[in-house]
Amino acid sequence: MDLTELRLKVDKVTDSAISKVDWVNLPFGKVFTDHMLMMDFVDGCWQEPQILPFQSIPMHPAMSSIHYGQAIFEGLKAYRHNTEKVSIFRPDMNAKRFNESAKRMCMPQIPESAFIEMVRKIVEIDQAWVSEIKGYSLYIRPFMFATDHWVGIKPSETYKFMILLSPVASYYSELVRVKIEPYFTRAAKGGVGRAKAAGNYGASLYPAKFAQDQGYHQLVWTDASEHKYIEESGTMNILFIIDDVIITPTEDEDTILRGVTKRSILDLARYWGIQVEERKISVEEVINAAKNGRLQDAFGAGTAATLAQIALIGYEGTDYHLPPVETREISNKLKSYLSLLKIGQSEDIFGWNFPV
Ligand code: COI
């Protein structure tokens, strides 16, 4: 099937599990909706996608992705505007990034229009799960993994593409405490840092645990060769405001994930006339700015966390505290505009909301 005209097989549940959800105590990514989407890649082409009741899937113990990590994912969200209307935030960006990740990991492409339609269709079916509670959304997790039954190492010939949906509240419930990492590395030049490859996240856990044991939420990753330049923070892109200028590491380096939330923040900031610099930013520049009171703000940007303001930055045993959050005019304005835009309560200047 070439997926130019997408046909989808749908098998719906008879009883929804939605009434069992504890919306007040909703952990991130542990509750799933009634349905999931599944599509196999066999004999060089994608087979008919199916939406079916959420269930476990059988797994061969030699399945190549669990041995060699040929696995990628995406994360995007759907939001409720009102009782009738739900929209998805910029799914075209995720479709594009998914294919970039697939290319780097030697995996098959999915036409962007088919990716978007599969996402739209499953959200439409489970739209009752998009909560209207403030700050809540439906996290959409498309992913692909190699399924050959073979422990020899070569690109798999078969793959599974799936989409899961999970209702979520805010990812961080408080301001984020981060620590600049002087030794460990998330990604090196020529590696897979730009791809949303499963292994990038697995490899980050051990260094992140050290930081968490010291009371931080996350690390700020630095470059692999000298640990002098800032790259990302945990699973988010990172942005700083020094002297009223938003500065964020350039995406020209293939060590940095091309974030949809970050791109939206930068587009919006430029539209509002705020100066933005996408360039190399050194640890020294950030720490000096913090020491002499010029570091006005620092925040992470990611789908799960949205815009997460940073409380303090730890470096070489000292914690540099950022100004009180009430004084952070730019990030407060960006955060508020973006969250209202996604629920249809501020003007969608760029046409980022994709209706379901
Ligand atoms: C996302 O923001 O979608 C992420 O990649 C974070 C996820 C690892 C929880």
Side-chain angles (χ1 to χ4, degrees):
M1 205 170 117
D2 66 4
L3 294 180
T4 40
E5 270 184 45
L6 189 71
R7 285 193 314 276
L8 260 158
K9 206 169 140 219
V10 179
D11 173 15
K12 286 197 193 168
V13 293
T14 40
D15 268 330
S16 173
I18 198 164
S19 60
K20 300 192 191 107
V21 177
D22 178 359
W23 292 95
V24 179
N25 306 298
L26 193 61
F28 181 89
K30 281 195 180 166
V31 174
F32 296 96
T33 63
D34 293 323
H35 300 92
M36 62 188 198
L37 181 142
M38 203 153 79
M39 175 172 76
D40 289 316
F41 186 85
V42 187
D43 295 333
C45 53
W46 288 108
Q47 309 300 302
E48 188 179 43
Q50 301 176 47
I51 290 178
L52 64 168
F54 188 91
Q55 58 195 274
S56 297
I57 51 172
M59 189 184 70
H60 192 282
M63 185 171 74
S64 52
S65 53
I66 57 170
H67 294 269
Y68 303 123
Q70 223 194 339
I72 58 170
F73 70 95
E74 268 305 321
L76 63 165
K77 281 178 176 170
Y79 297 85
R80 181 164 293 287
H81 292 217
N82 52 45
T83 43
E84 270 111 61
K85 188 168 171 196
V86 165
S87 74
I88 303 167
F89 190 67
R90 307 193 77 179
D92 52 319
M93 300 279 282
N94 299 86
K96 192 161 171 276
R97 190 172 64 183
F98 189 77
N99 279 334
E100 282 165 5
S101 301
K103 182 174 172 207
R104 179 62 182 83
M105 296 300 289
C106 231
M107 299 168 95
Q109 301 280 298
I110 296 181
E112 285 175 30
S113 55
F115 180 100
I116 296 168
E117 177 55 14
M118 287 187 278
V119 167
R120 192 202 65 78
K121 188 69 192 170
I122 187 161
V123 172
E124 183 181 44
I125 287 176
D126 277 340
Q127 61 181 289
W129 294 75
V130 188
S131 170
E132 66 201 0
I133 308 172
K134 189 168 179 281
Y136 282 52
S137 58
L138 186 67
Y139 186 76
I140 306 167
R141 169 54 62 88
F143 59 110
M144 183 191 346
F145 54 99
T147 53
D148 275 7
H149 303 167
W150 197 54
V151 291
I153 174 77
K154 73 166 184 51
S156 180
E157 287 175 9
T158 59
Y159 295 89
K160 209 178 259 305
F161 171 73
M162 297 186 67
I163 305 177
L164 308 180
L165 303 176
S166 174
V168 294
S170 306
Y171 193 74
Y172 288 114
S173 51
E174 52 185 339
L175 295 193
V176 189
R177 297 185 298 278
V178 298
K179 187 195 134 189
I180 295 180
E181 175 53 51
Y183 175 73
F184 290 107
T185 295
R186 191 191 85 92
K189 277 189 185 157
V192 291
R194 180 176 288 167
K196 218 159 161 65
N200 286 342
Y201 295 76
S204 74
L205 300 175
Y206 180 73
K209 192 176 175 310
F210 279 126
Q212 283 151 8
D213 289 346
Q214 292 163 28
Y216 299 96
H217 291 105
Q218 265 306 346
L219 292 174
V220 175
W221 299 105
T222 48
D223 70 285
S225 52
E226 298 179 284
H227 298 285
K228 273 191 181 164
Y229 294 95
I230 306 276
E231 300 229 310
E232 295 188 18
S233 178
T235 62
M236 303 181 290
N237 292 124
I238 189 162
L239 303 93
F240 301 92
I241 304 184
I242 301 174
D243 297 335
D244 294 324
V245 180
I246 300 183
I247 308 167
T248 190
T250 167
E251 285 176 355
D252 295 348
E253 311 282 349
D254 61 4
T255 51
I256 292 173
L257 189 86
R258 294 184 156 159
V260 179
T261 307
K262 180 189 74 174
R263 183 56 44 210
S264 309
I265 286 171
L266 298 183
D267 288 352
L268 203 50
R270 287 192 171 108
Y271 178 80
W272 285 339
I274 298 165
Q275 197 181 331
V276 170
E277 291 178 5
E278 293 181 72
R279 61 163 168 85
K280 271 173 112 82
I281 176 160
S282 67
V283 173
E284 194 184 9
E285 181 178 354
V286 171
I287 297 303
N288 281 342
K291 280 183 183 159
N292 58 33
R294 289 167 49 235
L295 181 63
Q296 295 155 291
D297 206 343
F299 49 97
T303 297
T306 65
L307 190 161
Q309 288 156 318
I310 291 173
L312 60 87
I313 302 176
Y315 182 59
E316 290 183 336
T318 304
D319 284 341
Y320 297 90
H321 290 260
L322 277 101
V325 77
E326 315 78 69
T327 66
R328 305 197 205 172
E329 258 175 54
I330 297 178
S331 65
N332 286 338
K333 188 172 162 198
L334 285 161
K335 191 175 175 166
S336 144
Y337 179 87
L338 275 174
S339 54
L340 291 172
L341 162 77
K342 290 168 181 171
I343 57 168
Q345 288 181 18
S346 57
E347 196 194 347
D348 187 4
I349 313 163
F350 299 98
W352 287 339
N353 286 330
F354 180 82
V356 167

mmCIF file of all heavy atoms in Angstrom, residues 231-259:
data_model
loop_
_atom_site.group_PDB
_atom_site.id
_atom_site.type_symbol
_atom_site.label_atom_id
_atom_site.label_comp_id
_atom_site.label_asym_id
_atom_site.label_seq_id
_atom_site.Cartn_x
_atom_site.Cartn_y
_atom_site.Cartn_z
ATOM 1 N N GLU A 231 23.638 22.503 25.307
ATOM 2 C CA GLU A 231 22.907 21.843 24.215
ATOM 3 C C GLU A 231 21.401 21.760 24.498
ATOM 4 O O GLU A 231 20.611 22.410 23.854
ATOM 5 C CB GLU A 231 23.485 20.455 23.991
ATOM 6 C CG GLU A 231 24.970 20.526 23.620
ATOM 7 C CD GLU A 231 25.333 19.710 22.418
ATOM 8 O OE1 GLU A 231 24.961 18.535 22.401
ATOM 9 O OE2 GLU A 231 25.990 20.244 21.502
ATOM 10 N N GLU A 232 21.003 20.928 25.447
ATOM 11 C CA GLU A 232 19.572 20.777 25.767
ATOM 12 C C GLU A 232 19.433 20.619 27.269
ATOM 13 O O GLU A 232 20.437 20.507 27.977
ATOM 14 C CB GLU A 232 18.998 19.516 25.102
ATOM 15 C CG GLU A 232 18.990 19.577 23.602
ATOM 16 C CD GLU A 232 18.228 18.404 22.984
ATOM 17 O OE1 GLU A 232 17.431 17.746 23.671
ATOM 18 O OE2 GLU A 232 18.441 18.163 21.800
ATOM 19 N N SER A 233 18.206 20.536 27.761
ATOM 20 C CA SER A 233 18.016 20.239 29.182
ATOM 21 C C SER A 233 17.074 19.052 29.335
ATOM 22 O O SER A 233 15.898 19.148 28.968
ATOM 23 C CB SER A 233 17.439 21.442 29.915
ATOM 24 O OG SER A 233 17.242 21.069 31.263
ATOM 25 N N GLY A 234 17.596 17.955 29.852
ATOM 26 C CA GLY A 234 16.768 16.756 30.002
ATOM 27 C C GLY A 234 16.193 16.367 28.659
ATOM 28 O O GLY A 234 16.931 16.180 27.695
ATOM 29 N N THR A 235 14.866 16.308 28.579
ATOM 30 C CA THR A 235 14.222 15.960 27.306
ATOM 31 C C THR A 235 13.679 17.214 26.615
ATOM 32 O O THR A 235 12.834 17.126 25.736
ATOM 33 C CB THR A 235 13.066 14.963 27.542
ATOM 34 O OG1 THR A 235 12.088 15.609 28.365
ATOM 35 C CG2 THR A 235 13.536 13.696 28.217
ATOM 36 N N MET A 236 14.171 18.387 27.042
ATOM 37 C CA MET A 236 13.638 19.638 26.469
ATOM 38 C C MET A 236 14.742 20.426 25.763
ATOM 39 O O MET A 236 15.918 20.301 26.117
ATOM 40 C CB MET A 236 13.097 20.542 27.586
ATOM 41 C CG MET A 236 12.033 19.910 28.460
ATOM 42 S SD MET A 236 11.439 21.077 29.712
ATOM 43 C CE MET A 236 12.843 21.209 30.813
ATOM 44 N N ASN A 237 14.378 21.295 24.850
ATOM 45 C CA ASN A 237 15.305 22.318 24.364
ATOM 46 C C ASN A 237 15.428 23.360 25.470
ATOM 47 O O ASN A 237 14.577 23.439 26.358
ATOM 48 C CB ASN A 237 14.760 22.992 23.095
ATOM 49 C CG ASN A 237 14.729 22.044 21.895
ATOM 50 O OD1 ASN A 237 13.687 21.847 21.297
ATOM 51 N ND2 ASN A 237 15.853 21.467 21.542
ATOM 52 N N ILE A 238 16.492 24.168 25.423
ATOM 53 C CA ILE A 238 16.658 25.167 26.493
ATOM 54 C C ILE A 238 16.864 26.560 25.886
ATOM 55 O O ILE A 238 17.506 26.706 24.842
ATOM 56 C CB ILE A 238 17.810 24.775 27.456
ATOM 57 C CG1 ILE A 238 17.837 25.704 28.679
ATOM 58 C CG2 ILE A 238 19.170 24.735 26.757
ATOM 59 C CD1 ILE A 238 18.625 25.161 29.860
ATOM 60 N N LEU A 239 16.277 27.555 26.550
ATOM 61 C CA LEU A 239 16.370 28.942 26.094
ATOM 62 C C LEU A 239 16.753 29.818 27.278
ATOM 63 O O LEU A 239 16.337 29.539 28.422
ATOM 64 C CB LEU A 239 15.035 29.427 25.507
ATOM 65 C CG LEU A 239 14.473 28.596 24.334
ATOM 66 C CD1 LEU A 239 13.506 27.529 24.824
ATOM 67 C CD2 LEU A 239 13.769 29.484 23.321
ATOM 68 N N PHE A 240 17.535 30.864 27.016
ATOM 69 C CA PHE A 240 17.937 31.806 28.058
ATOM 70 C C PHE A 240 17.525 33.205 27.628
ATOM 71 O O PHE A 240 17.430 33.485 26.435
ATOM 72 C CB PHE A 240 19.466 31.792 28.230
ATOM 73 C CG PHE A 240 20.006 30.438 28.603
ATOM 74 C CD1 PHE A 240 20.427 29.552 27.613
ATOM 75 C CD2 PHE A 240 20.075 30.039 29.929
ATOM 76 C CE1 PHE A 240 20.911 28.287 27.937
ATOM 77 C CE2 PHE A 240 20.557 28.775 30.266
ATOM 78 C CZ PHE A 240 20.979 27.905 29.267
ATOM 79 N N ILE A 241 17.303 34.077 28.600
ATOM 80 C CA ILE A 241 17.115 35.492 28.254
ATOM 81 C C ILE A 241 18.194 36.287 28.988
ATOM 82 O O ILE A 241 18.261 36.281 30.229
ATOM 83 C CB ILE A 241 15.702 36.011 28.589
ATOM 84 C CG1 ILE A 241 14.639 35.138 27.886
ATOM 85 C CG2 ILE A 241 15.576 37.480 28.155
ATOM 86 C CD1 ILE A 241 13.204 35.605 28.053
ATOM 87 N N ILE A 242 19.058 36.903 28.181
ATOM 88 C CA ILE A 242 20.124 37.750 28.725
ATOM 89 C C ILE A 242 19.984 39.108 28.038
ATOM 90 O O ILE A 242 19.908 39.171 26.803
ATOM 91 C CB ILE A 242 21.527 37.140 28.428
ATOM 92 C CG1 ILE A 242 21.643 35.739 29.048
ATOM 93 C CG2 ILE A 242 22.636 38.055 28.938
ATOM 94 C CD1 ILE A 242 22.918 34.989 28.710
ATOM 95 N N ASP A 243 19.936 40.170 28.831
ATOM 96 C CA ASP A 243 19.784 41.534 28.279
ATOM 97 C C ASP A 243 18.629 41.616 27.280
ATOM 98 O O ASP A 243 18.789 42.158 26.160
ATOM 99 C CB ASP A 243 21.090 41.981 27.587
ATOM 100 C CG ASP A 243 22.240 42.065 28.561
ATOM 101 O OD1 ASP A 243 21.981 42.247 29.772
ATOM 102 O OD2 ASP A 243 23.397 41.907 28.129
ATOM 103 N N ASP A 244 17.495 41.042 27.632
ATOM 104 C CA ASP A 244 16.273 41.077 26.815
ATOM 105 C C ASP A 244 16.365 40.321 25.491
ATOM 106 O O ASP A 244 15.499 40.472 24.629
ATOM 107 C CB ASP A 244 15.825 42.530 26.525
ATOM 108 C CG ASP A 244 15.386 43.234 27.795
ATOM 109 O OD1 ASP A 244 14.792 42.562 28.659
ATOM 110 O OD2 ASP A 244 15.662 44.448 27.935
ATOM 111 N N VAL A 245 17.408 39.527 25.309
ATOM 112 C CA VAL A 245 17.539 38.745 24.075
ATOM 113 C C VAL A 245 17.331 37.267 24.414
ATOM 114 O O VAL A 245 17.927 36.758 25.370
ATOM 115 C CB VAL A 245 18.940 38.932 23.443
ATOM 116 C CG1 VAL A 245 19.064 38.101 22.159
ATOM 117 C CG2 VAL A 245 19.215 40.406 23.175
ATOM 118 N N ILE A 246 16.476 36.592 23.627
ATOM 119 C CA ILE A 246 16.312 35.144 23.819
ATOM 120 C C ILE A 246 17.448 34.450 23.077
ATOM 121 O O ILE A 246 17.632 34.667 21.875
ATOM 122 C CB ILE A 246 14.950 34.645 23.271
ATOM 123 C CG1 ILE A 246 13.794 35.356 23.981
ATOM 124 C CG2 ILE A 246 14.841 33.131 23.404
ATOM 125 C CD1 ILE A 246 12.400 34.869 23.566
ATOM 126 N N ILE A 247 18.197 33.645 23.795
ATOM 127 C CA ILE A 247 19.330 32.938 23.176
ATOM 128 C C ILE A 247 19.114 31.439 23.360
ATOM 129 O O ILE A 247 18.801 30.971 24.459
ATOM 130 C CB ILE A 247 20.664 33.347 23.834
ATOM 131 C CG1 ILE A 247 20.800 34.878 23.854
ATOM 132 C CG2 ILE A 247 21.846 32.711 23.097
ATOM 133 C CD1 ILE A 247 21.920 35.374 24.737
ATOM 134 N N THR A 248 19.274 30.700 22.267
ATOM 135 C CA THR A 248 19.106 29.246 22.353
ATOM 136 C C THR A 248 20.126 28.582 21.432
ATOM 137 O O THR A 248 20.483 29.155 20.393
ATOM 138 C CB THR A 248 17.641 28.856 22.013
ATOM 139 O OG1 THR A 248 17.440 27.481 22.322
ATOM 140 C CG2 THR A 248 17.295 29.097 20.558
ATOM 141 N N PRO A 249 20.629 27.411 21.797
ATOM 142 C CA PRO A 249 21.631 26.753 20.954
ATOM 143 C C PRO A 249 21.119 26.527 19.534
ATOM 144 O O PRO A 249 19.956 26.180 19.330
ATOM 145 C CB PRO A 249 21.865 25.419 21.658
ATOM 146 C CG PRO A 249 21.483 25.671 23.072
ATOM 147 C CD PRO A 249 20.350 26.653 23.023
ATOM 148 N N THR A 250 21.997 26.735 18.573
ATOM 149 C CA THR A 250 21.595 26.585 17.170
ATOM 150 C C THR A 250 21.294 25.118 16.833
ATOM 151 O O THR A 250 21.956 24.208 17.332
ATOM 152 C CB THR A 250 22.685 27.121 16.211
ATOM 153 O OG1 THR A 250 22.389 26.676 14.901
ATOM 154 C CG2 THR A 250 24.071 26.638 16.587
ATOM 155 N N GLU A 251 20.320 24.955 15.930
ATOM 156 C CA GLU A 251 19.966 23.600 15.473
ATOM 157 C C GLU A 251 20.892 23.122 14.373
ATOM 158 O O GLU A 251 20.744 22.025 13.858
ATOM 159 C CB GLU A 251 18.548 23.596 14.907
ATOM 160 C CG GLU A 251 17.485 23.662 15.938
ATOM 161 C CD GLU A 251 16.104 23.759 15.310
ATOM 162 O OE1 GLU A 251 16.001 23.868 14.070
ATOM 163 O OE2 GLU A 251 15.124 23.740 16.063
ATOM 164 N N ASP A 252 21.834 23.979 13.973
ATOM 165 C CA ASP A 252 22.760 23.559 12.909
ATOM 166 C C ASP A 252 23.584 22.366 13.368
ATOM 167 O O ASP A 252 24.041 21.564 12.574
ATOM 168 C CB ASP A 252 23.705 24.703 12.517
ATOM 169 C CG ASP A 252 22.928 25.848 11.898
ATOM 170 O OD1 ASP A 252 21.742 25.639 11.588
ATOM 171 O OD2 ASP A 252 23.501 26.940 11.760
ATOM 172 N N GLU A 253 23.803 22.282 14.669
ATOM 173 C CA GLU A 253 24.536 21.133 15.201
ATOM 174 C C GLU A 253 23.604 19.923 15.121
ATOM 175 O O GLU A 253 22.443 20.019 15.517
ATOM 176 C CB GLU A 253 24.875 21.358 16.698
ATOM 177 C CG GLU A 253 25.500 22.697 17.025
ATOM 178 C CD GLU A 253 26.971 22.755 16.674
ATOM 179 O OE1 GLU A 253 27.540 21.685 16.382
ATOM 180 O OE2 GLU A 253 27.532 23.861 16.670
ATOM 181 N N ASP A 254 24.107 18.790 14.684
ATOM 182 C CA ASP A 254 23.206 17.632 14.600
ATOM 183 C C ASP A 254 23.090 16.903 15.941
ATOM 184 O O ASP A 254 22.642 15.770 16.015
ATOM 185 C CB ASP A 254 23.611 16.683 13.461
ATOM 186 C CG ASP A 254 25.004 16.111 13.640
ATOM 187 O OD1 ASP A 254 25.633 16.381 14.679
ATOM 188 O OD2 ASP A 254 25.467 15.381 12.735
ATOM 189 N N THR A 255 23.480 17.597 16.997
ATOM 190 C CA THR A 255 23.347 17.019 18.339
ATOM 191 C C THR A 255 22.059 17.468 19.019
ATOM 192 O O THR A 255 21.770 17.044 20.127
ATOM 193 C CB THR A 255 24.525 17.480 19.214
ATOM 194 O OG1 THR A 255 24.604 18.903 19.116
ATOM 195 C CG2 THR A 255 25.831 16.865 18.756
ATOM 196 N N ILE A 256 21.339 18.362 18.361
ATOM 197 C CA ILE A 256 20.188 18.982 19.046
ATOM 198 C C ILE A 256 18.872 18.649 18.350
ATOM 199 O O ILE A 256 18.767 18.751 17.120
ATOM 200 C CB ILE A 256 20.417 20.504 19.153
ATOM 201 C CG1 ILE A 256 21.596 20.722 20.134
ATOM 202 C CG2 ILE A 256 19.173 21.243 19.631
ATOM 203 C CD1 ILE A 256 22.067 22.121 20.253
ATOM 204 N N LEU A 257 17.896 18.239 19.153
ATOM 205 C CA LEU A 257 16.582 17.883 18.615
ATOM 206 C C LEU A 257 15.860 19.147 18.123
ATOM 207 O O LEU A 257 15.872 20.173 18.804
ATOM 208 C CB LEU A 257 15.741 17.209 19.703
ATOM 209 C CG LEU A 257 14.448 16.602 19.187
ATOM 210 C CD1 LEU A 257 14.683 15.194 18.674
ATOM 211 C CD2 LEU A 257 13.392 16.577 20.265
ATOM 212 N N ARG A 258 15.246 19.031 16.950
ATOM 213 C CA ARG A 258 14.524 20.194 16.408
ATOM 214 C C ARG A 258 13.137 20.274 17.041
ATOM 215 O O ARG A 258 12.180 19.683 16.547
ATOM 216 C CB ARG A 258 14.445 20.077 14.892
ATOM 217 C CG ARG A 258 15.840 20.175 14.288
ATOM 218 C CD ARG A 258 15.811 20.171 12.796
ATOM 219 N NE ARG A 258 17.018 20.815 12.288
ATOM 220 C CZ ARG A 258 17.501 20.635 11.065
ATOM 221 N NH1 ARG A 258 16.886 19.840 10.234
ATOM 222 N NH2 ARG A 258 18.581 21.253 10.667
ATOM 223 N N GLY A 259 13.055 21.000 18.110
ATOM 224 C CA GLY A 259 11.840 21.010 18.928
ATOM 225 C C GLY A 259 10.710 21.833 18.331
ATOM 226 O O GLY A 259 10.926 22.953 17.870
#
